[in-house]
Amino acid sequence: MSIIPYSKQSISADDIQAVKRVLKSDFLTQGPKVPEFERALARYFGTKYAICCSSGTAALHLAYSSLGASPSSIAIVPAITFAATANAFRYLGSDVIFCDVVPETGHICIHHLEKILSSIPKLKNDQKGFIAPVSFAGAIAPLERCNQLASRYNFQVIEDASHAVGAWTHNENGKKKVYAGACIHTQASCLSFHPVKHVCCGEGGAVLTNSTETANTARKLRSHGIERPFDDEHDTPWYYQQVDLGWNYRMTDLQAALGMSQLSRIEDSLKSRKEMARRYIELLSVERFSGSILLPVFNEGHAWHLFIIRFCRAGMRNRAYKYLKSKHIHTQVHYIPVYKHPYYQTMHRDLQLSGSEDYFESCLSIPMYSGLTLKQQNRVIAELDNFLAVEK
Ligand SMILES: *Cc1c(COP(=O)(O)O)cnc(C)c1O
């Protein structure tokens, strides 16, 4: 029987053509396709700027450093995320404080965030503070609430929107739709174009922002910190200078062409994920699953990057993972609380956040991607059913 992965990229004939055209062109690394993709991203997310780079991790690193993160900074990161959300602050020497999450959603817990902000020393004059909420699994994080707290304590908000292309919610007065990545309540948002994400570039990422200064700094740091101050009319148009210490985080035109082609199909992909989520919820919310499995809440603005179920009894998640694997259905745990990793244990040895631990012990991401067929989805549900029969 064929393996059903928990996630998988979808590559069309058009995607292949788009990459082939670049291979035959004059530009392989950053050429005309990158700014074209950047304009398309800025249009899609409704931001002034999009700065493409080599990965989602690079995007976080660029965004944090462009907004001034340094060894004197304090960065608050939800404990349930991919480690890169925290790691990119560590690259810059900033102190990371882990915030608990709401176990039902995996989102940063506003009450705990407020507790952290009110208990740490007030920021000194030149000190910067950051909050990096993650729009988790395809549902937009409570960005407006984060921003309200951030402004009170002089922090900046950077959204990790890697999971949330196409996600939206209504703002607090219920009047306006706010999209993930749109930078309405944040100074910047970051995207990843890793193959399991909504838009795949192989590897790739982008910083979204409405700030000209942040965009310019991110662009400069993406390519070594080099500036070209003169245009073609000048005596020395070849002149460039390195004004800052940056990196080579450029995206290639191959990646940008693939990303453009993928982005043009995003509505179809979001629609099929939404239908799949609706179907999972419908078929799993029957009597025989209740009391064993908790389901995510369906809402229209969910982008369904992951479909995460939670098991009600201790140890069940680990047994389900093994059982499904033996039936060639691959699932995944998103995520181990970041502070539990040995690297972070050296700094956070005694940390235990109850919401994050609860969530982590029970969660399992079951297959969700735009190429998943009805038949495959039925197989996942049938095997979950069989697993519960074994458990009883
Ligand atoms: C995928 C992901 C990243 C990192 O993206 P890469 O492109 O793999 O570097 C960061 N944060 C979250 C939440 C992610 O899911």
Side-chain angles (χ1 to χ4, degrees):
M1 204 172 284
S2 65
I3 290 171
I4 306 178
Y6 88 86
S7 180
K8 195 183 171 189
Q9 70 273 20
S10 135
I11 300 293
S12 71
D14 285 347
D15 291 347
I16 293 168
Q17 273 312 315
V19 175
K20 258 193 184 167
R21 274 197 295 277
V22 174
L23 275 172
K24 291 179 181 170
S25 78
D26 293 336
F27 296 93
L28 294 186
T29 183
Q30 194 176 301
K33 282 288 164 197
V34 171
E36 201 181 306
F37 187 34
E38 290 179 336
R39 284 191 294 274
L41 288 168
R43 205 176 317 122
Y44 180 80
F45 289 95
T47 55
K48 274 199 187 145
Y49 307 100
I51 300 93
C52 285
C53 55
S54 52
S55 71
T57 306
L60 291 164
H61 194 187
L62 287 173
Y64 297 166
S65 58
S66 301
L67 288 163
S70 75
S72 69
S73 304
I74 307 280
I76 305 175
V77 174
I80 298 294
T81 181
F82 183 57
T85 319
N87 291 350
F89 281 118
R90 297 296 306 141
Y91 298 163
L92 296 157
S94 310
D95 272 336
V96 170
I97 299 176
F98 289 104
C99 184
D100 207 358
V101 306
V102 179
E104 287 75 28
T105 60
H107 277 147
I108 192 164
C109 170
I110 291 292
H111 302 295
H112 191 229
L113 178 61
E114 185 157 20
K115 210 164 132 193
I116 293 172
L117 285 165
S118 62
S119 64
I120 57 179
K122 215 167 149 249
L123 293 178
K124 297 188 198 76
N125 270 341
D126 54 353
Q127 198 186 10
K128 304 234 169 180
F130 299 91
I131 306 168
V134 177
S135 287
F136 189 70
I140 194 163
L143 301 177
E144 193 170 2
R145 303 288 299 281
C146 287
N147 192 35
Q148 286 159 357
L149 284 174
S151 357
R152 199 180 316 153
Y153 291 91
N154 224 1
F155 274 56
Q156 303 183 82
V157 182
I158 300 161
E159 178 194 15
D160 185 337
S162 300
H163 291 186
V165 173
W168 56 267
T169 185
H170 287 288
N171 70 353
E172 292 221 322
N173 63 28
K175 294 223 172 79
K176 232 172 72 188
K177 261 190 185 179
V178 179
Y179 280 85
C183 302
I184 307 286
H185 303 295
T186 66
Q187 275 65 58
S189 289
C190 295
L191 302 172
S192 162
F193 305 126
H194 180 280
V196 299
K197 311 288 163 70
H198 288 78
V199 171
C200 157
C201 293
E203 294 278 4
V207 178
L208 301 163
T209 185
N210 289 318
S211 151
T212 308
E213 193 190 336
T214 306
N216 286 343
T217 309
R219 242 180 247 122
K220 185 177 67 189
L221 293 176
R222 166 177 68 180
S223 196
H224 309 283
I226 284 174
E227 268 179 5
R228 292 179 179 276
F230 306 133
D231 61 19
D232 286 349
E233 311 304 308
H234 196 271
D235 295 347
T236 57
W238 48 263
Y239 182 76
Y240 66 86
Q241 55 189 5
Q242 188 196 328
V243 293
D244 224 324
L245 185 63
W247 305 279
N248 177 357
Y249 278 169
R250 290 186 303 267
M251 176 181 267
T252 67
D253 259 27
L254 296 165
Q255 291 164 308
L258 179 54
M260 277 290 280
S261 180
Q262 293 250 317
L263 188 63
S264 72
R265 292 203 307 279
I266 187 73
E267 292 313 322
D268 292 342
S269 147
L270 287 167
K271 200 164 151 243
S272 79
R273 285 170 186 267
K274 192 185 279 185
E275 275 162 22
M276 235 169 272
R278 209 191 289 275
R279 198 154 176 274
Y280 266 139
I281 289 172
E282 187 190 315
L283 297 172
L284 291 172
S285 43
V286 294
E287 182 65 31
R288 62 185 191 284
F289 291 110
S290 72
S292 303
I293 291 177
L294 294 171
L295 296 172
V297 175
F298 187 89
N299 71 62
E300 286 298 320
H302 203 306
W304 299 108
H305 163 55
L306 300 170
F307 192 91
I308 302 174
I309 60 174
R310 294 177 60 223
F311 290 93
C312 301
R313 289 193 297 280
M316 232 171 143
R317 187 274 312 279
N318 290 349
R319 293 192 293 276
Y321 175 92
K322 278 194 180 163
Y323 181 88
L324 293 170
K325 183 113 191 246
S326 76
K327 305 293 177 190
H328 308 290
I329 295 166
H330 291 192
T331 59
Q332 185 57 280
V333 173
H334 296 96
Y335 294 93
I336 301 161
V338 179
Y339 59 80
K340 282 186 171 287
H341 289 297
Y343 168 76
Y344 284 100
Q345 277 288 296
T346 61
M347 294 164 269
H348 301 271
R349 193 168 308 285
D350 298 321
L351 188 62
Q352 251 205 342
L353 300 173
S354 61
S356 304
E357 306 259 338
D358 279 2
Y359 166 83
F360 162 60
E361 290 300 333
S362 60
C363 69
L364 193 67
S365 304
I366 63 174
M368 165 62 79
Y369 50 92
S370 61
L372 188 71
T373 63
L374 286 185
K375 221 170 125 194
Q376 288 173 317
Q377 212 187 3
N378 289 343
R379 222 176 97 200
V380 175
I381 293 163
E383 292 300 352
L384 270 172
D385 207 356
N386 293 340
F387 165 70
L388 291 185
V390 178
E391 278 282 303
K392 271 164 192 161

